Amino acid sequence: MDRASGAVLHISSIPNEYGIGSFGQSDFDFVDFLVDTKQTYWQMLPLRLLMFR
């Protein structure tokens, strides 16, 4: 098995012109950064609540 690397980062944690939490150009820039640095994986955390009480 070949070695691989990546990042664990919630997509809404990426800073942008509105603070954090919105999906915008900085998210695409982050993906471009992952490609440029030859990262293999981006583990995204859940985008919604997992359960309600």
PDB file of all heavy atoms in Angstrom, residues 3-38:
ATOM      1  N   ARG A   3       1.858   5.204   0.592  1.00  0.00           N
ATOM      2  CA  ARG A   3       1.541   6.200   1.620  1.00  0.00           C
ATOM      3  C   ARG A   3       0.754   7.338   1.007  1.00  0.00           C
ATOM      4  O   ARG A   3       0.913   7.669  -0.162  1.00  0.00           O
ATOM      5  CB  ARG A   3       2.820   6.724   2.240  1.00  0.00           C
ATOM      6  CG  ARG A   3       3.528   5.651   3.051  1.00  0.00           C
ATOM      7  CD  ARG A   3       4.718   6.216   3.713  1.00  0.00           C
ATOM      8  NE  ARG A   3       4.257   7.178   4.728  1.00  0.00           N
ATOM      9  CZ  ARG A   3       4.984   7.571   5.738  1.00  0.00           C
ATOM     10  NH1 ARG A   3       6.197   7.130   5.885  1.00  0.00           N
ATOM     11  NH2 ARG A   3       4.517   8.437   6.600  1.00  0.00           N
ATOM     12  N   ALA A   4      -0.088   7.939   1.804  1.00  0.00           N
ATOM     13  CA  ALA A   4      -0.901   9.068   1.351  1.00  0.00           C
ATOM     14  C   ALA A   4      -1.070  10.044   2.509  1.00  0.00           C
ATOM     15  O   ALA A   4      -0.866   9.693   3.662  1.00  0.00           O
ATOM     16  CB  ALA A   4      -2.257   8.589   0.868  1.00  0.00           C
ATOM     17  N   SER A   5      -1.440  11.267   2.185  1.00  0.00           N
ATOM     18  CA  SER A   5      -1.676  12.265   3.220  1.00  0.00           C
ATOM     19  C   SER A   5      -2.852  13.136   2.823  1.00  0.00           C
ATOM     20  O   SER A   5      -3.313  13.097   1.688  1.00  0.00           O
ATOM     21  CB  SER A   5      -0.429  13.129   3.431  1.00  0.00           C
ATOM     22  OG  SER A   5      -0.130  13.812   2.230  1.00  0.00           O
ATOM     23  N   GLY A   6      -3.320  13.914   3.776  1.00  0.00           N
ATOM     24  CA  GLY A   6      -4.462  14.767   3.502  1.00  0.00           C
ATOM     25  C   GLY A   6      -4.745  15.696   4.662  1.00  0.00           C
ATOM     26  O   GLY A   6      -3.875  15.960   5.485  1.00  0.00           O
ATOM     27  N   ALA A   7      -5.976  16.170   4.718  1.00  0.00           N
ATOM     28  CA  ALA A   7      -6.374  17.132   5.738  1.00  0.00           C
ATOM     29  C   ALA A   7      -7.717  16.737   6.332  1.00  0.00           C
ATOM     30  O   ALA A   7      -8.546  16.136   5.661  1.00  0.00           O
ATOM     31  CB  ALA A   7      -6.480  18.519   5.129  1.00  0.00           C
ATOM     32  N   VAL A   8      -7.907  17.069   7.596  1.00  0.00           N
ATOM     33  CA  VAL A   8      -9.205  16.930   8.262  1.00  0.00           C
ATOM     34  C   VAL A   8      -9.642  18.351   8.604  1.00  0.00           C
ATOM     35  O   VAL A   8      -9.031  19.014   9.434  1.00  0.00           O
ATOM     36  CB  VAL A   8      -9.110  16.085   9.550  1.00  0.00           C
ATOM     37  CG1 VAL A   8     -10.454  16.015  10.245  1.00  0.00           C
ATOM     38  CG2 VAL A   8      -8.596  14.699   9.250  1.00  0.00           C
ATOM     39  N   LEU A   9     -10.664  18.834   7.904  1.00  0.00           N
ATOM     40  CA  LEU A   9     -11.095  20.209   8.092  1.00  0.00           C
ATOM     41  C   LEU A   9     -12.545  20.331   7.672  1.00  0.00           C
ATOM     42  O   LEU A   9     -12.913  19.908   6.577  1.00  0.00           O
ATOM     43  CB  LEU A   9     -10.237  21.151   7.245  1.00  0.00           C
ATOM     44  CG  LEU A   9     -10.596  22.631   7.315  1.00  0.00           C
ATOM     45  CD1 LEU A   9     -10.221  23.201   8.674  1.00  0.00           C
ATOM     46  CD2 LEU A   9      -9.896  23.398   6.211  1.00  0.00           C
ATOM     47  N   HIS A  10     -13.363  20.875   8.547  1.00  0.00           N
ATOM     48  CA  HIS A  10     -14.756  21.111   8.186  1.00  0.00           C
ATOM     49  C   HIS A  10     -14.817  22.243   7.176  1.00  0.00           C
ATOM     50  O   HIS A  10     -14.154  23.265   7.340  1.00  0.00           O
ATOM     51  CB  HIS A  10     -15.583  21.462   9.425  1.00  0.00           C
ATOM     52  CG  HIS A  10     -17.046  21.361   9.183  1.00  0.00           C
ATOM     53  ND1 HIS A  10     -17.766  22.378   8.628  1.00  0.00           N
ATOM     54  CD2 HIS A  10     -17.910  20.340   9.397  1.00  0.00           C
ATOM     55  CE1 HIS A  10     -19.030  22.006   8.513  1.00  0.00           C
ATOM     56  NE2 HIS A  10     -19.136  20.776   8.974  1.00  0.00           N
ATOM     57  N   ILE A  11     -15.593  22.057   6.128  1.00  0.00           N
ATOM     58  CA  ILE A  11     -15.625  23.024   5.029  1.00  0.00           C
ATOM     59  C   ILE A  11     -16.059  24.416   5.493  1.00  0.00           C
ATOM     60  O   ILE A  11     -15.626  25.427   4.949  1.00  0.00           O
ATOM     61  CB  ILE A  11     -16.511  22.507   3.885  1.00  0.00           C
ATOM     62  CG1 ILE A  11     -16.299  23.336   2.625  1.00  0.00           C
ATOM     63  CG2 ILE A  11     -17.957  22.449   4.288  1.00  0.00           C
ATOM     64  CD1 ILE A  11     -16.913  22.749   1.392  1.00  0.00           C
ATOM     65  N   SER A  12     -16.880  24.496   6.525  1.00  0.00           N
ATOM     66  CA  SER A  12     -17.337  25.807   6.990  1.00  0.00           C
ATOM     67  C   SER A  12     -16.328  26.485   7.919  1.00  0.00           C
ATOM     68  O   SER A  12     -16.561  27.581   8.387  1.00  0.00           O
ATOM     69  CB  SER A  12     -18.691  25.677   7.700  1.00  0.00           C
ATOM     70  OG  SER A  12     -18.546  24.946   8.893  1.00  0.00           O
ATOM     71  N   SER A  13     -15.189  25.846   8.179  1.00  0.00           N
ATOM     72  CA  SER A  13     -14.153  26.452   9.030  1.00  0.00           C
ATOM     73  C   SER A  13     -13.149  27.277   8.238  1.00  0.00           C
ATOM     74  O   SER A  13     -12.276  27.903   8.829  1.00  0.00           O
ATOM     75  CB  SER A  13     -13.394  25.354   9.778  1.00  0.00           C
ATOM     76  OG  SER A  13     -14.264  24.678  10.644  1.00  0.00           O
ATOM     77  N   ILE A  14     -13.262  27.275   6.946  1.00  0.00           N
ATOM     78  CA  ILE A  14     -12.313  28.001   6.112  1.00  0.00           C
ATOM     79  C   ILE A  14     -12.678  29.485   6.133  1.00  0.00           C
ATOM     80  O   ILE A  14     -13.803  29.860   5.817  1.00  0.00           O
ATOM     81  CB  ILE A  14     -12.324  27.445   4.680  1.00  0.00           C
ATOM     82  CG1 ILE A  14     -11.901  25.974   4.708  1.00  0.00           C
ATOM     83  CG2 ILE A  14     -11.413  28.257   3.774  1.00  0.00           C
ATOM     84  CD1 ILE A  14     -12.047  25.263   3.394  1.00  0.00           C
ATOM     85  N   PRO A  15     -11.746  30.350   6.529  1.00  0.00           N
ATOM     86  CA  PRO A  15     -12.056  31.781   6.618  1.00  0.00           C
ATOM     87  C   PRO A  15     -12.294  32.390   5.236  1.00  0.00           C
ATOM     88  O   PRO A  15     -11.724  31.948   4.243  1.00  0.00           O
ATOM     89  CB  PRO A  15     -10.829  32.386   7.282  1.00  0.00           C
ATOM     90  CG  PRO A  15      -9.746  31.408   7.074  1.00  0.00           C
ATOM     91  CD  PRO A  15     -10.377  30.061   6.909  1.00  0.00           C
ATOM     92  N   ASN A  16     -13.147  33.408   5.208  1.00  0.00           N
ATOM     93  CA  ASN A  16     -13.400  34.136   3.969  1.00  0.00           C
ATOM     94  C   ASN A  16     -13.813  35.558   4.306  1.00  0.00           C
ATOM     95  O   ASN A  16     -13.721  35.979   5.451  1.00  0.00           O
ATOM     96  CB  ASN A  16     -14.453  33.413   3.119  1.00  0.00           C
ATOM     97  CG  ASN A  16     -15.774  33.268   3.817  1.00  0.00           C
ATOM     98  OD1 ASN A  16     -16.249  34.189   4.461  1.00  0.00           O
ATOM     99  ND2 ASN A  16     -16.393  32.101   3.697  1.00  0.00           N
ATOM    100  N   GLU A  17     -14.284  36.294   3.344  1.00  0.00           N
ATOM    101  CA  GLU A  17     -14.610  37.708   3.555  1.00  0.00           C
ATOM    102  C   GLU A  17     -15.764  37.926   4.524  1.00  0.00           C
ATOM    103  O   GLU A  17     -15.944  39.024   5.039  1.00  0.00           O
ATOM    104  CB  GLU A  17     -14.915  38.383   2.220  1.00  0.00           C
ATOM    105  CG  GLU A  17     -16.096  37.759   1.497  1.00  0.00           C
ATOM    106  CD  GLU A  17     -16.190  38.192   0.058  1.00  0.00           C
ATOM    107  OE1 GLU A  17     -15.266  37.878  -0.712  1.00  0.00           O
ATOM    108  OE2 GLU A  17     -17.183  38.843  -0.283  1.00  0.00           O
ATOM    109  N   TYR A  18     -16.562  36.902   4.791  1.00  0.00           N
ATOM    110  CA  TYR A  18     -17.696  37.024   5.710  1.00  0.00           C
ATOM    111  C   TYR A  18     -17.407  36.394   7.071  1.00  0.00           C
ATOM    112  O   TYR A  18     -18.310  36.191   7.850  1.00  0.00           O
ATOM    113  CB  TYR A  18     -18.934  36.363   5.100  1.00  0.00           C
ATOM    114  CG  TYR A  18     -19.289  36.930   3.754  1.00  0.00           C
ATOM    115  CD1 TYR A  18     -19.090  36.194   2.602  1.00  0.00           C
ATOM    116  CD2 TYR A  18     -19.801  38.216   3.637  1.00  0.00           C
ATOM    117  CE1 TYR A  18     -19.401  36.715   1.356  1.00  0.00           C
ATOM    118  CE2 TYR A  18     -20.104  38.753   2.402  1.00  0.00           C
ATOM    119  CZ  TYR A  18     -19.904  37.996   1.269  1.00  0.00           C
ATOM    120  OH  TYR A  18     -20.206  38.531   0.051  1.00  0.00           O
ATOM    121  N   GLY A  19     -16.170  36.071   7.346  1.00  0.00           N
ATOM    122  CA  GLY A  19     -15.804  35.378   8.576  1.00  0.00           C
ATOM    123  C   GLY A  19     -15.590  33.909   8.267  1.00  0.00           C
ATOM    124  O   GLY A  19     -14.831  33.566   7.387  1.00  0.00           O
ATOM    125  N   ILE A  20     -16.296  33.038   8.968  1.00  0.00           N
ATOM    126  CA  ILE A  20     -16.260  31.611   8.647  1.00  0.00           C
ATOM    127  C   ILE A  20     -17.688  31.118   8.533  1.00  0.00           C
ATOM    128  O   ILE A  20     -18.621  31.770   8.978  1.00  0.00           O
ATOM    129  CB  ILE A  20     -15.496  30.780   9.713  1.00  0.00           C
ATOM    130  CG1 ILE A  20     -16.186  30.864  11.063  1.00  0.00           C
ATOM    131  CG2 ILE A  20     -14.046  31.196   9.791  1.00  0.00           C
ATOM    132  CD1 ILE A  20     -15.631  29.910  12.088  1.00  0.00           C
ATOM    133  N   GLY A  21     -17.853  29.974   7.910  1.00  0.00           N
ATOM    134  CA  GLY A  21     -19.159  29.337   7.881  1.00  0.00           C
ATOM    135  C   GLY A  21     -19.923  29.479   6.589  1.00  0.00           C
ATOM    136  O   GLY A  21     -20.990  28.906   6.442  1.00  0.00           O
ATOM    137  N   SER A  22     -19.398  30.203   5.620  1.00  0.00           N
ATOM    138  CA  SER A  22     -20.100  30.283   4.338  1.00  0.00           C
ATOM    139  C   SER A  22     -19.268  29.580   3.272  1.00  0.00           C
ATOM    140  O   SER A  22     -18.050  29.507   3.357  1.00  0.00           O
ATOM    141  CB  SER A  22     -20.367  31.730   3.938  1.00  0.00           C
ATOM    142  OG  SER A  22     -19.164  32.401   3.716  1.00  0.00           O
ATOM    143  N   PHE A  23     -19.933  29.042   2.304  1.00  0.00           N
ATOM    144  CA  PHE A  23     -19.256  28.335   1.230  1.00  0.00           C
ATOM    145  C   PHE A  23     -18.950  29.337   0.125  1.00  0.00           C
ATOM    146  O   PHE A  23     -19.853  29.914  -0.454  1.00  0.00           O
ATOM    147  CB  PHE A  23     -20.150  27.210   0.694  1.00  0.00           C
ATOM    148  CG  PHE A  23     -20.571  26.244   1.760  1.00  0.00           C
ATOM    149  CD1 PHE A  23     -21.823  26.327   2.337  1.00  0.00           C
ATOM    150  CD2 PHE A  23     -19.698  25.280   2.197  1.00  0.00           C
ATOM    151  CE1 PHE A  23     -22.200  25.449   3.320  1.00  0.00           C
ATOM    152  CE2 PHE A  23     -20.064  24.396   3.192  1.00  0.00           C
ATOM    153  CZ  PHE A  23     -21.321  24.483   3.759  1.00  0.00           C
ATOM    154  N   GLY A  24     -17.681  29.555  -0.161  1.00  0.00           N
ATOM    155  CA  GLY A  24     -17.325  30.564  -1.144  1.00  0.00           C
ATOM    156  C   GLY A  24     -16.023  30.241  -1.853  1.00  0.00           C
ATOM    157  O   GLY A  24     -15.557  29.095  -1.864  1.00  0.00           O
ATOM    158  N   GLN A  25     -15.414  31.261  -2.417  1.00  0.00           N
ATOM    159  CA  GLN A  25     -14.204  31.100  -3.215  1.00  0.00           C
ATOM    160  C   GLN A  25     -13.060  30.511  -2.401  1.00  0.00           C
ATOM    161  O   GLN A  25     -12.248  29.759  -2.913  1.00  0.00           O
ATOM    162  CB  GLN A  25     -13.791  32.442  -3.829  1.00  0.00           C
ATOM    163  CG  GLN A  25     -12.587  32.360  -4.749  1.00  0.00           C
ATOM    164  CD  GLN A  25     -12.808  31.425  -5.920  1.00  0.00           C
ATOM    165  OE1 GLN A  25     -13.865  31.454  -6.543  1.00  0.00           O
ATOM    166  NE2 GLN A  25     -11.831  30.589  -6.208  1.00  0.00           N
ATOM    167  N   SER A  26     -12.982  30.834  -1.089  1.00  0.00           N
ATOM    168  CA  SER A  26     -11.884  30.284  -0.290  1.00  0.00           C
ATOM    169  C   SER A  26     -11.932  28.772  -0.201  1.00  0.00           C
ATOM    170  O   SER A  26     -10.904  28.132  -0.081  1.00  0.00           O
ATOM    171  CB  SER A  26     -11.822  30.850   1.107  1.00  0.00           C
ATOM    172  OG  SER A  26     -12.840  31.641   1.454  1.00  0.00           O
ATOM    173  N   ASP A  27     -13.134  28.195  -0.280  1.00  0.00           N
ATOM    174  CA  ASP A  27     -13.243  26.729  -0.278  1.00  0.00           C
ATOM    175  C   ASP A  27     -12.630  26.145  -1.549  1.00  0.00           C
ATOM    176  O   ASP A  27     -11.904  25.153  -1.497  1.00  0.00           O
ATOM    177  CB  ASP A  27     -14.703  26.300  -0.156  1.00  0.00           C
ATOM    178  CG  ASP A  27     -15.332  26.802   1.129  1.00  0.00           C
ATOM    179  OD1 ASP A  27     -14.674  26.725   2.183  1.00  0.00           O
ATOM    180  OD2 ASP A  27     -16.471  27.290   1.074  1.00  0.00           O
ATOM    181  N   PHE A  28     -12.900  26.786  -2.683  1.00  0.00           N
ATOM    182  CA  PHE A  28     -12.306  26.332  -3.937  1.00  0.00           C
ATOM    183  C   PHE A  28     -10.792  26.532  -3.924  1.00  0.00           C
ATOM    184  O   PHE A  28     -10.040  25.690  -4.425  1.00  0.00           O
ATOM    185  CB  PHE A  28     -12.928  27.074  -5.126  1.00  0.00           C
ATOM    186  CG  PHE A  28     -14.358  26.696  -5.368  1.00  0.00           C
ATOM    187  CD1 PHE A  28     -15.380  27.505  -4.909  1.00  0.00           C
ATOM    188  CD2 PHE A  28     -14.679  25.532  -6.042  1.00  0.00           C
ATOM    189  CE1 PHE A  28     -16.703  27.173  -5.124  1.00  0.00           C
ATOM    190  CE2 PHE A  28     -15.997  25.184  -6.269  1.00  0.00           C
ATOM    191  CZ  PHE A  28     -17.012  25.999  -5.803  1.00  0.00           C
ATOM    192  N   ASP A  29     -10.347  27.635  -3.328  1.00  0.00           N
ATOM    193  CA  ASP A  29      -8.906  27.894  -3.207  1.00  0.00           C
ATOM    194  C   ASP A  29      -8.236  26.821  -2.342  1.00  0.00           C
ATOM    195  O   ASP A  29      -7.111  26.400  -2.629  1.00  0.00           O
ATOM    196  CB  ASP A  29      -8.642  29.274  -2.612  1.00  0.00           C
ATOM    197  CG  ASP A  29      -9.089  30.393  -3.533  1.00  0.00           C
ATOM    198  OD1 ASP A  29      -9.282  30.147  -4.750  1.00  0.00           O
ATOM    199  OD2 ASP A  29      -9.269  31.524  -3.026  1.00  0.00           O
ATOM    200  N   PHE A  30      -8.919  26.380  -1.286  1.00  0.00           N
ATOM    201  CA  PHE A  30      -8.367  25.328  -0.426  1.00  0.00           C
ATOM    202  C   PHE A  30      -8.234  24.023  -1.198  1.00  0.00           C
ATOM    203  O   PHE A  30      -7.221  23.325  -1.086  1.00  0.00           O
ATOM    204  CB  PHE A  30      -9.237  25.138   0.820  1.00  0.00           C
ATOM    205  CG  PHE A  30      -8.714  24.085   1.752  1.00  0.00           C
ATOM    206  CD1 PHE A  30      -7.529  24.263   2.441  1.00  0.00           C
ATOM    207  CD2 PHE A  30      -9.410  22.897   1.928  1.00  0.00           C
ATOM    208  CE1 PHE A  30      -7.035  23.278   3.291  1.00  0.00           C
ATOM    209  CE2 PHE A  30      -8.933  21.921   2.778  1.00  0.00           C
ATOM    210  CZ  PHE A  30      -7.742  22.109   3.458  1.00  0.00           C
ATOM    211  N   VAL A  31      -9.231  23.691  -2.006  1.00  0.00           N
ATOM    212  CA  VAL A  31      -9.156  22.477  -2.824  1.00  0.00           C
ATOM    213  C   VAL A  31      -7.997  22.588  -3.816  1.00  0.00           C
ATOM    214  O   VAL A  31      -7.248  21.627  -4.018  1.00  0.00           O
ATOM    215  CB  VAL A  31     -10.492  22.214  -3.547  1.00  0.00           C
ATOM    216  CG1 VAL A  31     -10.347  21.079  -4.551  1.00  0.00           C
ATOM    217  CG2 VAL A  31     -11.585  21.898  -2.544  1.00  0.00           C
ATOM    218  N   ASP A  32      -7.818  23.757  -4.419  1.00  0.00           N
ATOM    219  CA  ASP A  32      -6.682  23.964  -5.320  1.00  0.00           C
ATOM    220  C   ASP A  32      -5.367  23.785  -4.583  1.00  0.00           C
ATOM    221  O   ASP A  32      -4.419  23.199  -5.121  1.00  0.00           O
ATOM    222  CB  ASP A  32      -6.735  25.354  -5.950  1.00  0.00           C
ATOM    223  CG  ASP A  32      -7.869  25.506  -6.937  1.00  0.00           C
ATOM    224  OD1 ASP A  32      -8.382  24.475  -7.434  1.00  0.00           O
ATOM    225  OD2 ASP A  32      -8.263  26.667  -7.206  1.00  0.00           O
ATOM    226  N   PHE A  33      -5.293  24.270  -3.326  1.00  0.00           N
ATOM    227  CA  PHE A  33      -4.094  24.081  -2.503  1.00  0.00           C
ATOM    228  C   PHE A  33      -3.823  22.597  -2.269  1.00  0.00           C
ATOM    229  O   PHE A  33      -2.678  22.140  -2.376  1.00  0.00           O
ATOM    230  CB  PHE A  33      -4.255  24.807  -1.164  1.00  0.00           C
ATOM    231  CG  PHE A  33      -3.223  24.431  -0.154  1.00  0.00           C
ATOM    232  CD1 PHE A  33      -1.927  24.929  -0.228  1.00  0.00           C
ATOM    233  CD2 PHE A  33      -3.540  23.561   0.881  1.00  0.00           C
ATOM    234  CE1 PHE A  33      -0.967  24.565   0.706  1.00  0.00           C
ATOM    235  CE2 PHE A  33      -2.591  23.194   1.821  1.00  0.00           C
ATOM    236  CZ  PHE A  33      -1.297  23.704   1.729  1.00  0.00           C
ATOM    237  N   LEU A  34      -4.872  21.830  -1.969  1.00  0.00           N
ATOM    238  CA  LEU A  34      -4.696  20.388  -1.758  1.00  0.00           C
ATOM    239  C   LEU A  34      -4.156  19.716  -3.018  1.00  0.00           C
ATOM    240  O   LEU A  34      -3.276  18.855  -2.944  1.00  0.00           O
ATOM    241  CB  LEU A  34      -6.018  19.739  -1.342  1.00  0.00           C
ATOM    242  CG  LEU A  34      -6.572  20.132   0.026  1.00  0.00           C
ATOM    243  CD1 LEU A  34      -7.934  19.478   0.244  1.00  0.00           C
ATOM    244  CD2 LEU A  34      -5.622  19.764   1.136  1.00  0.00           C
ATOM    245  N   VAL A  35      -4.662  20.108  -4.165  1.00  0.00           N
ATOM    246  CA  VAL A  35      -4.188  19.545  -5.434  1.00  0.00           C
ATOM    247  C   VAL A  35      -2.735  19.944  -5.682  1.00  0.00           C
ATOM    248  O   VAL A  35      -1.901  19.098  -6.034  1.00  0.00           O
ATOM    249  CB  VAL A  35      -5.090  20.005  -6.600  1.00  0.00           C
ATOM    250  CG1 VAL A  35      -4.492  19.622  -7.939  1.00  0.00           C
ATOM    251  CG2 VAL A  35      -6.487  19.423  -6.456  1.00  0.00           C
ATOM    252  N   ASP A  36      -2.416  21.223  -5.483  1.00  0.00           N
ATOM    253  CA  ASP A  36      -1.056  21.714  -5.729  1.00  0.00           C
ATOM    254  C   ASP A  36      -0.023  21.029  -4.842  1.00  0.00           C
ATOM    255  O   ASP A  36       1.121  20.831  -5.252  1.00  0.00           O
ATOM    256  CB  ASP A  36      -0.975  23.228  -5.508  1.00  0.00           C
ATOM    257  CG  ASP A  36      -1.739  24.012  -6.565  1.00  0.00           C
ATOM    258  OD1 ASP A  36      -2.071  23.429  -7.618  1.00  0.00           O
ATOM    259  OD2 ASP A  36      -2.017  25.200  -6.316  1.00  0.00           O
ATOM    260  N   THR A  37      -0.414  20.683  -3.608  1.00  0.00           N
ATOM    261  CA  THR A  37       0.521  20.048  -2.672  1.00  0.00           C
ATOM    262  C   THR A  37       0.417  18.526  -2.699  1.00  0.00           C
ATOM    263  O   THR A  37       0.956  17.844  -1.836  1.00  0.00           O
ATOM    264  CB  THR A  37       0.286  20.565  -1.240  1.00  0.00           C
ATOM    265  OG1 THR A  37      -1.073  20.327  -0.859  1.00  0.00           O
ATOM    266  CG2 THR A  37       0.609  22.048  -1.148  1.00  0.00           C
ATOM    267  N   LYS A  38      -0.310  18.012  -3.704  1.00  0.00           N
ATOM    268  CA  LYS A  38      -0.422  16.569  -3.951  1.00  0.00           C
ATOM    269  C   LYS A  38      -1.001  15.799  -2.767  1.00  0.00           C
ATOM    270  O   LYS A  38      -0.567  14.694  -2.454  1.00  0.00           O
ATOM    271  CB  LYS A  38       0.916  15.989  -4.383  1.00  0.00           C
ATOM    272  CG  LYS A  38       1.424  16.592  -5.675  1.00  0.00           C
ATOM    273  CD  LYS A  38       2.697  15.969  -6.125  1.00  0.00           C
ATOM    274  CE  LYS A  38       3.289  16.508  -7.389  1.00  0.00           C
ATOM    275  NZ  LYS A  38       2.690  17.536  -8.133  1.00  0.00           N
TER     276      LYS A  38
END
